[in-house]
Amino acid sequence: MLEVIKIKIVIDAFGGDYAPTNVIKSAIEIKKELPNLEIIFAGNEKMLRNAASNLKLNISDFEILNAKDHISPEQSPREILKEKSESSMAIGLKALNDEKIDAFITAGSTGALAVGASFFNSKIKGVKRAALCPTIPSINGKFLLIDAGANLQCREDILFQFAVMGNVYAKKIFEIEQPKIGLANVGIEPEKGLSQHKEAYKLLSNCKTLNFIGNVEARYAPLGICDVVVSDGLCGNMILKTMEGTAKFLMKSFKEAYSLNFKTKLAAAILRKQHNQLKKRLDYKNYGGAILLGINKPLIKAHGNSTYKTLKKTIKQAVNCVEQNIVNEISCNIN
Amino acid sequence: MLEVIKIKIVIDAFGGDYAPTNVIKSAIEIKKELPNLEIIFAGNEKMLRNAASNLKLNISDFEILNAKDHISPEQSPREILKEKSESSMAIGLKALNDEKIDAFITAGSTGALAVGASFFNSKIKGVKRAALCPTIPSINGKFLLIDAGANLQCREDILFQFAVMGNVYAKKIFEIEQPKIGLANVGIEPEKGLSQHKEAYKLLSNCKTLNFIGNVEARYAPLGICDVVVSDGLCGNMILKTMEGTAKFLMKSFKEAYSLNFKTKLAAAILRKQHNQLKKRLDYKNYGGAILLGINKPLIKAHGNSTYKTLKKTIKQAVNCVEQNIVNEISCNIN
């Protein structure tokens, strides 16, 4: 497809823990694989050129959208609208309004991104709320969580739209013909949860184009019961972060237990490969970034601690979203 | 203390997956350790005597509160109030109103217990809502989660009371002098979350008798950031069940990875002890049952799949709650 259309992606060069080094490296690397892809940096031009020069990397082929400043994770998300409206993230978000730009990626603050996108960018016509959607590992693969924290409370019609958007993403990007959609709830019975859950359950059950499997208890999300977990941002955030914390707890406990004595250390050394493979499988970064579904262009939040390799994956994810035209697909399904 | 006061505990003989066998066995076993403890069975007398006879176990020393029937997990929780008001669980809950009875334990349906307790039992004066509180393993020990699903939505004053009750429990039962109290939220800043979170944050910050450490992201709960995690039942349920599911996902994945070939199997065999120890540490059952805090007598929900050994632990937990007089302690702190 890349021979047919030229894709232009803007990337926030000053978002995340390892910026701009990882951004520069990922852009140079991805160009080797996808020469027709155009990467544009958003960030302070002078600082960016200095960083590239220090790294002995050539970025003369890349366009730069000059930004005075950048948003740091310590700042209030709303600052992106005020003195930080000339930040690399704000510049990138605004660039997305240019019809020649196809997608935007940032590893910067999630809060600032949610605020900034809702201010600078348009939603797909008919979409009431944009939702933050990470791809999360499960025992038999992965699932999309919609929403992980952009909308703390959601009415039933919002939850229903999340299901529609998540369905499109899982179809197009996960390549699942009939994605299984579950509604995060405290029990499986239709009458469980708050009124919005009960009403969303009815709306989803009555929708013939969705493969709605019903309410899903949080314990079955990591056990791979469905491909899309629909949730308000508050519960979604609890699911996402509890998984992260529990995985860390277990991996650390294993490590401690295995370093008990010479024998256990030796056995652990034999199992190192398996252990590392599992660690890799659990690492969210390997599943790309979290897409902000509902915005009229693909807008992806890369992990704050993304390495250049992870950023490369996120760039590919953005390219895939553009090629699969998920925005148009959502637009067709939402109205 | 058992020499001084004689403790009487009622136990639902027909609640949980292994009832009544595990209940009978746990009662007989615990009597050997705590001869002054009086265990009373709630359940159908004829069925109970038949079961004991089949097991060749003597229960002639135990009092039985005869119940016509029992509540099965498939039934709607509200049925406990109607035709099931003569169930073993309902009989047990009603017996708790007798001043001679000190505590009640059931491994039956959590939903029915929450409904039944709110109907048949009184709350401690001043307590607005009773909360379900499991003890959950963390990387450095354990924490109390209040609430795990009895109250899906909670105002700030309810969340504040949860903190007060959780604090008493952690002090008395976990034996922590100044338990660290955290409020489950999507971020650590005081302005994070819904209005009830922001208001609860203020109430908790202003309370000098609580060691409030602030908002706690769900990822830090399993990492042991605090001793008591305060949450509404909806978020609490997500935390509890996501932890369960993630632990299962990881343990199963390890098992699969380690059975790859002869070498990995051999190494895994060497690490079996460590693996089993960790599995045990992760097993919620080893931390006792979930107490329904706020009721005017200790009322403990044992795990549905409790073995007789687990039930024994839960009985000891109930005895401890009676001896430590946590109900009185909550009463003194809530008003």
Side-chain angles (χ1 to χ4, degrees):
Chain A
M1 299 260 311
L2 277 176
E3 294 90 39
V4 190
I5 45 162
K6 194 170 171 84
I7 293 175
K8 278 192 183 190
I9 291 178
V10 177
I11 182 161
D12 179 356
F14 288 89
D17 304 343
Y18 309 120
T21 307
N22 57 344
V23 178
I24 296 171
K25 278 178 81 175
S26 66
I28 291 174
E29 288 290 322
I30 200 92
K31 283 289 282 181
K32 291 178 193 162
E33 289 179 45
L34 307 172
N36 281 317
L37 173 68
E38 191 173 332
I39 302 267
I40 300 164
F41 297 124
N44 185 278
E45 185 163 356
K46 202 177 156 190
M47 284 168 73
L48 203 51
R49 295 217 186 274
N50 277 343
S53 154
N54 288 339
L55 293 163
K56 299 194 184 359
L57 292 170
N58 178 13
I59 56 164
S60 58
D61 287 350
F62 294 90
E63 191 183 332
I64 299 173
L65 298 171
N66 189 37
K68 284 188 190 153
D69 205 350
H70 64 275
I71 287 265
S72 77
E74 296 76 33
Q75 289 169 314
S76 153
R78 299 201 69 79
E79 288 193 38
I80 194 173
L81 307 179
K82 295 182 290 183
E83 64 265 44
K84 295 288 176 182
S85 68
E86 293 301 308
S87 65
S88 56
M89 193 193 280
I91 294 287
L93 288 170
K94 286 187 247 180
L96 209 52
N97 295 327
D98 180 337
E99 64 176 27
K100 286 177 211 146
I101 305 296
D102 296 302
F104 175 57
I105 296 168
T106 178
S109 148
T110 310
L113 180 67
V115 172
S118 71
F119 188 78
F120 296 120
N121 303 104
S122 302
K123 290 199 287 290
I124 295 166
K125 198 169 171 248
V127 168
K128 292 167 189 172
R129 303 264 197 95
L132 191 71
C133 312
T135 299
I136 300 179
S138 75
I139 202 161
N140 51 8
K142 60 191 172 187
F143 66 92
L144 188 79
L145 176 66
I146 178 166
D147 167 42
N151 313 276
L152 296 191
Q153 249 181 338
C154 300
R155 289 192 318 263
E156 55 272 20
D157 53 331
I158 309 279
L159 292 170
F160 179 76
Q161 283 200 343
F162 287 177
V164 173
M165 294 197 291
N167 186 55
V168 167
Y169 190 87
K171 263 190 176 177
K172 293 288 178 178
I173 307 300
F174 294 173
E175 297 177 344
I176 299 167
E177 212 169 310
Q178 276 288 334
K180 286 184 268 183
I181 314 282
L183 179 66
N185 205 337
V186 295
I188 58 165
E189 301 83 357
E191 68 278 5
K192 287 280 178 176
L194 300 171
S195 68
Q196 59 266 38
H197 296 113
K198 296 173 204 170
E199 294 304 317
Y201 188 99
K202 285 183 208 160
L203 291 173
L204 290 164
S205 300
N206 291 333
C207 177
K208 282 172 190 157
T209 53
L210 292 175
N211 179 16
F212 178 56
I213 63 156
N215 286 332
V216 162
E217 289 187 54
R219 78 159 63 80
Y220 297 108
L223 297 175
I225 198 171
C226 59
D227 306 301
V228 178
V229 173
V230 174
S231 171
D232 60 49
L234 189 57
C235 288
N237 195 273
M238 298 294 152
I239 295 173
L240 173 72
K241 290 182 181 165
T242 306
M243 273 195 76
E244 277 181 15
T246 310
K248 204 165 177 180
F249 164 20
L250 263 81
M251 295 305 277
K252 211 174 156 188
S253 301
F254 272 117
K255 214 175 156 183
E256 274 171 23
Y258 292 177
S259 62
L260 185 72
N261 57 38
F262 178 73
K263 228 171 73 179
T264 58
K265 276 181 198 167
L266 195 73
I270 294 169
L271 294 169
R272 187 154 299 140
K273 198 179 151 193
Q274 279 70 35
H275 209 89
N276 288 342
Q277 276 172 349
L278 187 57
K279 209 171 165 183
K280 202 174 160 187
R281 234 184 93 198
L282 284 169
D283 191 346
Y284 294 37
K285 291 200 296 291
N286 293 316
Y287 297 78
I291 187 160
L292 200 64
L293 282 181
I295 301 294
N296 69 354
K297 295 270 178 74
L299 200 170
I300 298 179
K301 164 70 180 86
H303 291 270
N305 61 353
S306 289
T307 59
Y308 85 93
K309 279 187 185 171
T310 324
L311 268 186
K312 258 180 70 184
K313 278 189 188 154
T314 312
I315 294 169
K316 281 183 185 170
Q317 181 189 5
V319 169
N320 200 8
C321 289
V322 174
E323 289 184 334
Q324 293 297 326
N325 208 348
I326 60 155
V327 163
N328 188 50
E329 199 68 26
I330 289 175
S331 175
C332 293
N333 280 275
I334 216 87
N335 295 305
Chain B
M1 298 261 312
L2 277 176
E3 296 88 38
V4 190
I5 45 162
K6 195 170 167 87
I7 293 175
K8 278 192 183 191
I9 290 177
V10 177
I11 182 162
D12 179 357
F14 288 90
D17 303 343
Y18 309 120
T21 307
N22 57 344
V23 179
I24 296 170
K25 279 179 81 174
S26 66
I28 291 173
E29 289 290 323
I30 200 91
K31 283 289 282 181
K32 292 178 194 163
E33 288 178 45
L34 307 173
N36 281 318
L37 173 68
E38 192 174 330
I39 302 268
I40 300 164
F41 297 124
N44 185 278
E45 186 163 357
K46 201 176 157 190
M47 283 169 74
L48 204 50
R49 296 214 185 277
N50 277 343
S53 152
N54 288 339
L55 293 163
K56 298 193 184 358
L57 292 171
N58 178 13
I59 56 165
S60 58
D61 287 349
F62 293 90
E63 190 184 331
I64 298 172
L65 297 172
N66 189 36
K68 283 188 191 153
D69 204 350
H70 63 275
I71 287 265
S72 75
E74 296 75 33
Q75 289 169 314
S76 153
R78 298 201 70 79
E79 287 194 38
I80 193 171
L81 306 179
K82 296 182 290 182
E83 64 265 45
K84 296 286 176 180
S85 68
E86 293 301 307
S87 65
S88 57
M89 193 194 281
I91 294 287
L93 287 171
K94 287 187 247 181
L96 208 52
N97 295 328
D98 181 338
E99 64 177 28
K100 286 177 211 144
I101 304 296
D102 296 302
F104 174 57
I105 295 168
T106 177
S109 147
T110 311
L113 180 67
V115 172
S118 71
F119 188 79
F120 296 121
N121 302 104
S122 302
K123 289 196 289 290
I124 296 167
K125 196 169 171 252
V127 168
K128 291 166 190 173
R129 303 265 196 92
L132 191 71
C133 313
T135 299
I136 300 179
S138 75
I139 202 161
N140 50 8
K142 60 193 172 187
F143 66 93
L144 188 78
L145 176 66
I146 178 166
D147 167 42
N151 313 277
L152 296 191
Q153 249 180 338
C154 299
R155 287 191 318 261
E156 54 272 20
D157 52 330
I158 310 279
L159 292 170
F160 178 76
Q161 283 201 342
F162 287 177
V164 173
M165 296 198 291
N167 186 54
V168 167
Y169 190 88
K171 262 189 178 179
K172 294 286 177 182
I173 307 302
F174 294 173
E175 298 176 346
I176 299 168
E177 213 170 308
Q178 276 288 335
K180 284 183 270 183
I181 315 281
L183 179 66
N185 205 336
V186 294
I188 59 165
E189 301 82 356
E191 67 278 6
K192 286 280 176 176
L194 299 171
S195 69
Q196 58 267 38
H197 296 112
K198 295 173 205 173
E199 294 303 318
Y201 188 99
K202 285 184 207 161
L203 292 173
L204 291 164
S205 300
N206 291 333
C207 177
K208 282 172 191 157
T209 54
L210 293 175
N211 180 16
F212 178 56
I213 63 155
N215 286 331
V216 162
E217 289 187 54
R219 75 158 66 81
Y220 297 107
L223 297 175
I225 198 171
C226 58
D227 306 302
V228 179
V229 172
V230 174
S231 171
D232 60 48
L234 188 58
C235 288
N237 195 273
M238 297 294 151
I239 293 173
L240 173 72
K241 290 182 180 166
T242 305
M243 272 195 77
E244 278 181 16
T246 309
K248 203 165 179 181
F249 163 20
L250 261 80
M251 295 307 275
K252 212 173 156 190
S253 299
F254 272 117
K255 214 174 157 184
E256 275 170 20
Y258 293 178
S259 63
L260 184 73
N261 57 41
F262 178 73
K263 229 170 73 178
T264 59
K265 276 182 197 165
L266 194 73
I270 295 169
L271 295 170
R272 188 155 300 139
K273 198 178 151 194
Q274 279 70 34
H275 208 90
N276 287 343
Q277 276 172 350
L278 187 58
K279 208 171 165 183
K280 202 174 160 187
R281 235 184 92 198
L282 284 170
D283 192 346
Y284 293 36
K285 290 201 297 290
N286 293 316
Y287 297 78
I291 188 160
L292 201 62
L293 283 180
I295 300 295
N296 69 355
K297 295 269 179 76
L299 201 170
I300 298 178
K301 162 72 180 85
H303 289 270
N305 62 352
S306 288
T307 59
Y308 85 93
K309 280 188 185 171
T310 323
L311 268 186
K312 258 180 70 182
K313 278 190 189 155
T314 312
I315 294 169
K316 282 184 185 170
Q317 180 189 6
V319 169
N320 200 9
C321 289
V322 174
E323 289 185 335
Q324 293 297 326
N325 208 349
I326 59 155
V327 163
N328 188 49
E329 199 67 27
I330 289 175
S331 176
C332 293
N333 280 276
I334 216 88
N335 294 306

